[in-house]
Amino acid sequence: AVVSTQSKQWYQRRVHGSAEMHLKLTVLGLLLIGWTSLAIFILLVNVIITTFGKWIFAKFCSNFAEKYNEVSNSMKIDLFKELNDMNKGEKISILEIGAGPGANFKYFTREAVIQTVEPNIQFTKYFDENRSKYPNLEIKDIKEGFGEDLEAAGIADASVDAVVMTLVLCSVQDQLKCFEEIKRVLKPGGKFFYLEHIIGDEGSTQQTIQKLLMTGGFWPFMADGCCLDRATDKTIETAGFEKVEQKKFQLPIPEDVPITFKVFGPILKPHVMGVATK
């Protein structure tokens, strides 16, 4: 499915507006102090990311998702146990927002119809390869769309039993709007399952580094809109769900992980996972 032009334009304005302003100010500042070579280098990096960023990010995340599943395996099994046990004997309807390459499909061990909404359509190749591994799941074609406007992606009111988001609420433009849409599409008593990295505890070294990397929009620009400074655990408690059950934890980072995990792991360790009921 193709998301509406209006919805796509709204998303692009929200994502790129702040980043473009920071880029212009940075380049101008460098030119004023005579650092022309660095200004040119930054502009070249911007051209590469703007032109090929979605493709690069889809490939990187598809590889990253496999390693993340290894690290978070026990947490995901725990998180999705309730999903696999709900409405026993029925073929439930699941909506995954920001499904990416379909890294969570392996944790859905029951019969289900799965719809997915994903803003980066460059994931399609990896998504299609992955869904072929799970014949017990009726996985529909990936839909281009955004969590803030699920209606534009064709998701009807009170139409799904469960909504899933993992490592996505860090990059949506409006968390509360996403939660409103999630409540709209969930059936009465439906459940929202989430697993997200969050900002570190107040005054911690983790939080200091996270805020530093967010300065000037650096991290969101490099990581396709990802934000390190969101207190998602607190925001969801104010979102109007009937019940929220969640827990915070530090993601364990084993010694035998790729260099990317060793470098970025410490700033991504603070996590929350939970289930919110409509």
Side-chain angles (χ1 to χ4, degrees), residues 144-273:
E144 185 179 13
F146 312 101
E148 296 92 340
D149 191 4
L150 297 173
E151 186 174 6
I155 311 299
D157 295 0
S159 61
V160 298
D161 297 291
V163 174
V164 171
M165 294 180 86
T166 61
L167 301 187
V168 176
L169 286 166
C170 61
S171 59
V172 300
Q173 295 303 302
D174 189 330
Q175 287 189 339
L176 287 175
K177 193 168 184 179
C178 280
F179 295 147
E180 287 301 314
E181 278 291 88
I182 288 168
K183 289 185 293 180
R184 179 184 67 79
V185 303
L186 279 172
K187 296 176 182 177
K191 297 182 181 295
F192 170 43
F193 298 83
Y194 57 95
L195 172 65
E196 300 288 336
H197 69 81
I198 56 176
I199 192 167
D201 292 335
E202 187 66 35
S204 66
T205 302
Q206 283 177 328
Q207 187 188 83
T208 301
I209 297 173
Q210 288 170 326
K211 288 184 175 180
L212 180 63
L213 289 171
M214 288 296 296
T215 303
F218 170 77
W219 185 265
F221 175 71
M222 296 299 296
D224 201 29
C226 171
C227 295
L228 298 169
D229 57 354
R230 292 188 174 175
T232 303
D233 54 315
K234 296 179 180 177
T235 304
I236 197 167
E237 290 179 343
T238 67
F241 286 96
E242 186 69 24
K243 181 172 67 171
V244 175
E245 296 178 297
Q246 61 180 356
K247 63 180 178 181
K248 293 170 60 177
F249 63 95
Q250 293 282 322
L251 186 73
I253 308 294
E255 291 294 327
D256 59 338
V257 293
I259 187 66
T260 51
F261 251 93
K262 289 183 179 179
V263 172
F264 301 121
I267 60 173
L268 299 175
K269 286 183 72 173
H271 268 58
V272 65
M273 72 177 196

